[in-house]
Amino acid sequence: MAARLEVADIFRRHGEGYRYRHDAHLGRLERRVMSAIEMCRTARLGGHVQRCEDCNTLRIAYNSCRNRHCPKCQGQASRDWLAARQADLLPVGYFHVVFTVPQQIAAISFQNKAALYAILFQAVARTLRRLAADPRHLGAEIGFIAVLHSWGQNLHYHPHVHCIVPGGGLSADQSSWVACRPKFFLPVRVLSRLFRRLFLEELKQAFDLGQIQFFGDIAGLADPVAFNRTLEAARRIDWVVYAKPPFAGPEQVLAYLGRYTHRIAITNSRLVTIDDHQVTFRWKDYRTGGAQKVMTLDAHEFIRRFLLHTVPDGFHRIRHYGLLANGHRQRKLDQCRSLLDVPSPEQRAEEPDAKPPPLVHRCPCCGGAVKIIGTWTPMSPVCRPAWNDSS
């Protein structure tokens, strides 16, 4: 069976040429991401030797880079995060709401990722919480998880935020649970207009404070007249906000979160071929109903598009708001469960000793438990060991 293709293969074959050709325009963050993916699970990052305690098979395992942009390193991170979130689910319907920004705003965002992503999160949070608190709509304090994505299926830059929202919340006096209608959360058109207004207000304030900059094709926006003209144009168009049908149950919510929270621009499973200087991958064209298609790009163009989606160091792309905010999540969830008259999730019982160890700690030959009998590290640091991963 042919070996599965990986993004790392593309970077290892064509990364050095890409660095050479784009040396003047390649930032430190992008270089670190490339280096991390190239070295992931290779001897350059060190590793360890495992021995099966049943059949004595020896196996060499290399260390992971742990970079949040690496396709190979997100599986375990996603599983760990989901295990922590399972206890947060309430026995109510959940909705999926997506907020996007128009193309002229996306261009500003790309050159000011940290500032514009922060504005995007803030505008989304204020929009949902303000509209939900309005007695004309829901009249409740809600909670939700927001996840930043910056890509479309074809790897073009397309910043947007996915929100997973329980269908209800606490009443203003905190004395009752207020449920939304079974298949309707909040009016999308009202969400869109409020989101647009709040976002543009925050963007204008950031511009007035000198917190955003402009280069290249949009350098002219540094002029206040041109910038204000762009904002006025953005006010006159509809901003896309849409709510998907509610999830069927908590299990479906968890399955969705597992696919979305730690997703990167493209997974290894979508790669089809790497031939000479071309990369072919699968993508869904949502303009034609999500039809499955294939796209072929020059390898350097593939790398360029992949690197469009690097996230600034230390920036949290998964955030919790309202009832689910980190500072009071457990207290608020306990209150919600009390009002919904459901018990709190029980702590997991200690796993019996007879249960097999996790797959990663079992022998691939016989399934027996493996023991680490030796480790090694690189002779010298090949790159900064901490990749500044933040959710």
Side-chain angles (χ1 to χ4, degrees), residues 4-9 70-72 264 266-272 282:
R4 189 177 70 172
L5 298 176
E6 298 181 351
V7 171
D9 296 326
C70 176
K72 291 199 292 284
I264 60 169
I266 188 170
T267 58
N268 289 330
S269 61
R270 288 174 54 196
L271 298 177
V272 178
R282 286 184 291 271

Side-chain angles (χ1 to χ4, degrees), residues 15-31 34 215 307:
E16 196 58 38
Y18 185 87
R19 291 184 185 93
Y20 180 80
R21 181 178 296 181
H22 301 277
D23 181 65
H25 304 288
L26 201 57
R28 186 179 64 175
L29 173 61
E30 288 76 18
R31 292 178 187 274
M34 293 179 69
F215 309 95
L307 294 176

Side-chain angles (χ1 to χ4, degrees), residues 142-196:
I142 62 169
F144 55 95
I145 300 172
V147 184
L148 171 72
H149 283 184
S150 64
W151 53 85
Q153 281 277 308
N154 55 11
L155 299 185
H156 284 309
Y157 187 68
H158 173 57
H160 54 285
V161 168
H162 295 262
C163 298
I164 309 300
V165 195
L170 292 175
S171 62
D173 61 3
Q174 308 283 290
S175 65
S176 61
W177 174 265
V178 180
C180 68
R181 283 183 269 170
K183 294 185 178 182
F184 179 83
F185 180 54
L186 292 170
V188 171
R189 180 172 290 275
V190 181
L191 281 170
S192 174
R193 290 176 177 176
L194 180 57
F195 170 60
R196 178 181 62 190

